[in-house]
Amino acid sequence: MKAKLHAAAGGVALLTVSCFWISTVAAELTGSAEIIATVKATILAGMAVLIPAMTIAGASGFSLGKGWKSPVVQHKKRRMRIIAANGLLVLLPSAYVLAGWAAEGRFDIAFIIVQTLELTAGAVNITLLSLNMRDGLALRRKPARAVRAG
């Protein structure tokens, strides 16, 4: 049950971050201030989905990995720490600031810099979440005894 919850939460987190990233790029390509502002507001509101999904994925993952010596599990744990720090220190504050600036129609150089930082951090999290999903699927395919001994 815990493994299914972990997989579902991780999938929701990856899908949510990917949707945020793709929506941002698509909005920027339109050049429409109204669309950009709508996307930024929606991303900020979407944190109500992303934050619980990340929390559940992280907590269940650490619980599932407790006692495992596998290098794969250790890599997943290290990646999750980076994902969480990146989310809390870069992505969440960026979402908040960009939504406010976009609502004000402020699309200056500061907006562009923070937007670039957010897209970069988002791409990093998409990559790390994807690697964790790949490794999680690989762990499911291996016999549990072989992985625990690894």
Side-chain angles (χ1 to χ4, degrees):
M1 178 65 180
K2 195 184 306 182
K4 287 182 182 182
L5 178 65
H6 176 68
V12 168
L14 176 57
L15 181 62
T16 304
V17 173
S18 297
C19 286
F20 289 174
W21 198 93
I22 291 166
S23 299
T24 295
V25 171
E28 292 292 337
L29 291 174
T30 69
S32 165
E34 184 179 326
I35 291 173
I36 294 168
T38 300
V39 166
K40 292 291 128 194
T42 303
I43 288 171
L44 188 57
M47 291 296 166
V49 172
L50 180 59
I51 292 170
M54 292 294 291
T55 302
I56 292 166
S60 60
F62 278 99
S63 176
L64 287 166
K66 187 176 181 179
W68 287 40
K69 303 296 184 208
S70 167
V72 174
V73 173
Q74 300 311 311
H75 291 312
K76 282 177 59 86
K77 286 180 180 181
R78 253 182 267 133
R79 283 189 213 116
M80 196 61 205
R81 288 183 185 106
I82 295 167
I83 291 164
N86 196 11
L88 291 172
L89 300 175
V90 178
L91 293 172
L92 184 59
S94 295
Y96 181 77
V97 167
L98 291 171
W101 287 349
E104 296 169 2
R106 180 181 166 188
F107 299 103
D108 57 7
I109 190 69
F111 184 93
I112 293 168
I113 291 169
V114 175
Q115 181 67 77
T116 302
L117 178 64
E118 182 186 53
L119 285 169
T120 302
V124 167
N125 272 12
I126 290 167
T127 301
L128 295 176
L129 285 165
S130 297
L131 290 170
N132 274 4
M133 180 175 278
R134 177 203 66 192
D135 288 349
L137 291 171
L139 287 170
R140 286 184 59 199
R141 287 190 292 269
K142 291 182 179 180
R145 199 171 65 205
V147 173
R148 289 182 192 267

